[in-house]
Structure formats: structure tokens, C-alpha cells
Amino acid sequence: MRIGYFLSSEEYTPAQLTEQALAAEDAGFDGLWISDHIQPWNSTQGQSPMVWPMIGAIAQVTALPIMTAVTCPIGRQSPLLVAHAAATCAVLNPGFRLGVGTGEALNEHLTGAVWPSFDVRIEMLREAVGLIRALWTGETVDHRGRWFTVDDARLWTLPGTPPEIWMSGFGEKATRVAAEIADGYVNTAPGAELRALFSEESGGRPTSAGLKVAYAPSKEEGVEHAHRLWANAGLPGELAQVLPSPRHFEQASQLVTRQATADSVVAGSAAGEHVAAVRAYAEAGYDEVYVANMGPYYREMIEFYGEQVLPGVRRG
């Protein structure tokens, strides 16, 4: 299993993200994920640089392949814009992959457009992915679909091979669509059921997942950082897709107890616990896992993983 590092744009500055990418390569991680947000989940996280210039900057300091995790090409960013940006990223970063999904109201309602239902968004995404692939052929594209229009458009800066498109799916319907239109599958939990569904429906295409940990000198401090910064990760159901602003996430996150965070997060510096958390994804059948740090000890976490966790997982 490949083990990568997940760059959390919501929590860290551009300089810190670039520093983390370089450190991850030095530590022996296999690749990078980077989130694509215009707002953080809450004001305590406090950052949200634009993903496309970040990828350009990171590509200048590391050769690790980068994937967006994930981009929504049906709202504030049109399929034309995403196709153009991703093609340039793939020229700068060979191995770049475009991760896509149906998005969250947090990022996409800012244009003032009505936030569509999931059933509408999944059909919009299906059309958007087809349009992006057409633009990556280098041919002139005229497209007048149900959701998107492109008039006499051609992309001139393209990689030798079009980048892969991977799609997130957190439910059965999205996972089945991913198996139809995507080159790979993205999830954020080690559950085996959806991964197996994608693999079966897609004919065995690859799968990846994300994991957040809170490295700190003690478990108690790690839990404190995780709860202070990422209590929103404990919200159930579809809330993450429909709440429209950081303040709403802050309000909802008051319902997530510190104990709930402690029960769900790997925190502290016990190597065995981190190794077990990563291995859970391998046991569920995932081909890749990308690990993000929560809190201020990102440099220490990356070095700790390079020295103890990555070797421990790979020996297994």
C-alpha cells in the first residue's frame, strides 16, 4: 500500500504547506493530497489558500505526485476552469491526479446560486467530468449540455498524457457513479463496503482514502488540538455537505464532545497506534492512504512517520 501525506489547506499557511510537502518527500511518503477549499470549516482553522497556485508552488520543491482531495467542478469553479488549471498542474507535476466530488455548500454557495440537491449535483458532476476529458484531448470543444456550456474552447498547454480523474463517494449512489466515470475512488474512512462496491463495479480500479491524526507529545494534548481545530469532523450524516458557513459549523460542532473526538482520533506519539490506524485501511483493501496532521506539530509528525510509522506499516 502507498502511504501519502495529506496537506490540509484549511489549517496551514501557503509557506507551511510547502514546507510540509518537502518534508514529506524527505521522510519517505509516496505522494500528496491537497484539499480544495475557499473557506475553512471553522474560524479556528483560519486558512484557505487557493489550491491551483499552491500546487504550482509545491511542484517547484518536490517531485511527489499531487492529487486534489477533492475539487468540485460544478459550482464556483466551472469544468472549463478546472480542466485548464488541472492540465497546467499536470505539466508542472507529472503524476498529478484530479480528485473530484459533488462539493459542499460551504464552498459552493458563495456565488449566490442555489445549492442543488445531491441527485442534481451527481448528474452535474457526470457531465462536468465528460467535458473536462473532452477538453483534455486538445481538440476544440463546443458543448451545450443540460448544465454547462462551452463555446469554441481549446486548451493549448497540456501534458503528454491526460491526468487521471479520481472521484469521492461517501454513499452507494456516488460510489456507483464513480465506478462509471472515474479512474479511481476516494474515501475518508476505512470502511470496506463502499471500497468493495467500487472495485466490483469498476472492474478493480484503484482506491484511496484519507486519515487525520493529531501527533503531539501526549495523547491528551493531541486530543485537545483535534477537538479545538477539527471537531467538525465528528458531525454526522450530510451536515458537512449542507451547512453554508464556518459559523454554522462552529455552532453544530458544539454538539461534538471532547470524548467523542478522543474516541475517534489517533492522538499522541504512540507509534503502534498510528501504525494500526494506517493498517486498517490496508486491511479494508485500499491501495493508498493519505495521512494529515491536526495541530502545530506537523514537522514532528512527518519526521515521526518517516522514522517509525512508515517502516512499521511497510514491514507488515
Side-chain angles (χ1 to χ4, degrees), residues 10-294:
E10 306 89 338
E11 185 180 346
Y12 300 109
T13 68
Q16 289 172 326
L17 293 171
T18 306
E19 177 191 356
Q20 289 173 30
L22 180 57
E25 183 176 48
D26 291 342
F29 284 90
D30 296 315
L32 299 168
W33 270 11
I34 184 167
S35 54
D36 183 353
H37 272 234
I38 194 170
Q39 298 195 100
W41 299 101
N42 57 62
S43 58
T44 304
Q45 292 171 358
Q47 293 292 326
S48 212
M50 190 177 191
V51 71
W52 308 116
M54 281 308 316
I55 292 172
I58 291 166
Q60 303 310 300
V61 301
T62 174
L64 290 179
I66 306 167
M67 181 167 78
T68 58
V70 291
T71 293
C72 176
I74 63 173
R76 76 188 195 280
Q77 301 184 95
S78 70
L80 177 61
L81 184 152
V82 171
H84 189 196
T88 301
C89 288
V91 171
L92 293 169
N93 179 247
F96 169 84
R97 294 179 296 190
L98 176 64
V100 299
T102 56
E104 303 97 10
L106 175 71
N107 298 297
E108 308 308 326
H109 86 286
L110 301 180
T111 64
V114 173
W115 178 237
S117 69
F118 169 75
D119 286 341
V120 171
R121 299 196 321 267
I122 199 74
E123 292 308 313
M124 292 175 74
L125 184 62
R126 189 195 300 272
E127 183 178 333
V129 167
L131 180 52
I132 290 167
R133 292 194 191 277
L135 288 161
W136 284 346
T137 65
E139 301 295 324
T140 299
V141 176
D142 287 291
H143 176 88
R144 286 168 177 80
R146 182 175 181 184
W147 307 107
F148 304 107
T149 298
V150 169
D151 182 46
D152 196 29
R154 179 182 174 187
L155 299 182
W156 293 84
T157 298
L158 293 166
T161 302
E164 294 182 355
I165 297 178
W166 290 43
M167 179 180 156
S168 66
F170 304 137
E172 180 178 337
K173 182 170 183 177
T175 302
R176 290 186 185 277
V177 172
E180 292 177 32
I181 68 173
D183 301 303
Y185 173 70
V186 176
N187 203 347
T188 55
E193 184 176 342
L194 290 176
R195 185 218 58 81
L197 174 64
F198 175 83
S199 294
E200 179 180 355
E201 294 288 321
S202 70
R205 293 180 198 145
T207 58
S208 63
L211 165 67
K212 288 186 181 296
V213 303
Y215 178 87
S218 70
K219 185 179 184 70
E220 292 74 19
E221 184 181 356
V223 169
E224 176 61 32
H225 291 307
H227 191 63
R228 174 176 58 87
L229 291 160
W230 289 92
N232 60 279
L235 294 176
E238 298 179 33
L239 285 177
Q241 281 73 53
V242 300
L243 293 178
S245 74
R247 72 177 182 278
H248 292 106
F249 278 94
E250 290 163 7
Q251 293 164 9
S253 295
Q254 293 177 26
L255 301 174
V256 180
T257 66
R258 188 181 186 281
Q259 186 59 52
T261 299
D263 291 343
S264 62
V265 168
V266 177
S269 56
E273 294 182 11
H274 288 265
V275 169
V278 175
R279 280 184 177 165
Y281 289 84
E283 291 165 2
Y286 283 92
D287 301 293
E288 304 175 348
V289 61
Y290 292 79
V291 189
N293 185 65
M294 297 180 283

